[in-house]
């Protein structure tokens, strides 16, 4: 079990193609199994947009989602974006970012959706995987549901689908049922 706050404190590492552990193997197996979601067990392409949620905070949702994104981004032609769309916390996850991006005003998806930042200001480079980009959540908004229901989010997801081979979303816990169901309109798989 991994606490989500460990990422904010930079104590956990992302599983990468250089990692040779049982944990890395488990993520590789998960990636492989995702390709068999078609009918009759036939191999199909992986879902492009995946949303990860959990029942309770602290259950490792951020750890699983960011490591799944890292495994998906292992192939050099498979650019992946991990989005922290848990809008109830402003976790900076600075340990995930390249050293030069860890300071300053780290903008995230709430800045983008509220019109206070441009897309390029909200995309950060991952410290350990050059094919993985990171979009932080940003400041906690007073209106998370309205931001998630906005047309601006639909436009953003359409743009990101054309830019990235895979998009992995770390959603709020399913105790916030409204948010998870709202996001289902633009995802291909919810786990």
């Amino acid at each position: 079990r991994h606490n989500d706050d460990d990422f904010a404190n930079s104590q956990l590492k992302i599983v990468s193609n250089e990692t040779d552990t049982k944990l890395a193997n488990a993520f590789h197996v998960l990636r492989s199994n995702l390709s068999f979601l078609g009918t009759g067990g036939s191999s199909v392409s992986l879902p492009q947009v995946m949303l990860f949620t959990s029942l309770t905070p602290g259950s490792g949702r951020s750890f699983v989602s960011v490591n799944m994104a890292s495994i998906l981004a292992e192939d050099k032609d498979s650019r992946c974006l991990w989005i922290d769309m848990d809008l109830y916390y402003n976790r900076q996850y600075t340990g995930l970012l390249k050293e030069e991006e860890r300071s300053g005003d780290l903008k995230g998806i709430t800045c983008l959706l509220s019109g206070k930042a441009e897309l390029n200001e909200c995309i950060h480079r991952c410290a350990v995987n050059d094919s993985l980009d990171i979009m932080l959540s940003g400041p906690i908004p007073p209106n998370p549901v309205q931001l998630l229901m906005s047309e601006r989010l639909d436009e953003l997801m359409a743009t990101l689908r054309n830019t990235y081979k895979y998009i992995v979303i770390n959603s709020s816990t399913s105790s916030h049922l409204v948010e998870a169901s709202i996001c289902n309109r633009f995802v291909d798989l919810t786990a």
Side-chain angles (χ1 to χ4, degrees):
R1 180 176 173 188
H2 298 278
N3 189 316
D4 289 338
D5 291 333
D6 289 338
F7 270 129
N9 297 328
S10 304
Q11 295 174 358
L12 289 178
K13 294 183 180 178
I14 296 176
V15 174
S16 68
N17 56 358
E18 287 88 32
T19 308
D20 185 25
T21 64
K22 290 179 183 178
L23 182 60
N25 186 51
F27 281 103
H28 284 284
V29 168
L30 177 58
R31 182 190 196 283
S32 177
N33 288 343
L34 285 174
S35 67
F36 287 93
L37 291 176
T39 59
S42 61
S43 180
V44 295
S45 61
L46 292 167
Q48 183 181 12
V49 181
M50 296 173 236
L51 180 135
F52 286 78
T53 187
S54 64
L55 290 175
T56 59
S59 60
R61 169 181 28 89
S62 298
F63 175 79
V64 171
S65 64
V66 79
N67 277 292
M68 188 70 234
S70 182
I71 293 298
L72 290 168
E74 278 185 349
D75 301 326
K76 296 302 177 198
D77 63 339
S78 296
R79 293 221 38 90
C80 185
L81 174 66
W82 180 76
I83 304 174
D84 184 15
M85 209 176 284
D86 186 351
L87 305 185
Y88 291 92
Y89 299 97
N90 182 14
R91 294 187 184 102
Q92 293 297 311
Y93 297 112
T94 54
L96 298 176
L97 308 180
K98 289 203 178 280
E99 185 75 35
E100 61 271 17
E101 296 197 31
R102 293 181 185 177
S103 60
D105 184 21
L106 295 174
K107 297 186 180 341
I109 194 165
T110 59
C111 301
L112 185 61
L113 295 178
S114 62
K116 296 178 180 173
E118 297 296 320
L119 180 58
N120 65 333
E121 297 176 280
C122 300
I123 303 283
H124 306 284
R125 295 174 302 143
C126 179
V128 298
N129 189 328
D130 290 335
S131 295
L132 177 61
D133 289 334
I134 307 289
M135 184 182 289
L136 303 171
S137 62
I140 300 170
N143 56 349
V145 173
Q146 286 93 343
L147 284 180
L148 294 174
M149 290 175 59
S150 72
E151 188 174 311
R152 194 178 290 222
L153 180 56
D154 293 321
E155 293 166 1
L156 170 65
M157 293 309 296
T159 299
L160 295 175
R161 277 183 179 271
N162 291 324
T163 306
Y164 291 94
K165 185 168 183 179
Y166 302 111
I167 302 164
V168 177
I169 299 169
N170 176 45
S171 179
S172 59
T173 61
S174 59
S175 59
H176 298 290
L177 290 173
V178 173
E179 288 80 353
S181 63
I182 290 172
C183 292
N184 274 334
R185 75 183 189 272
F186 55 76
V187 301
D188 304 319
L189 173 75
T190 300

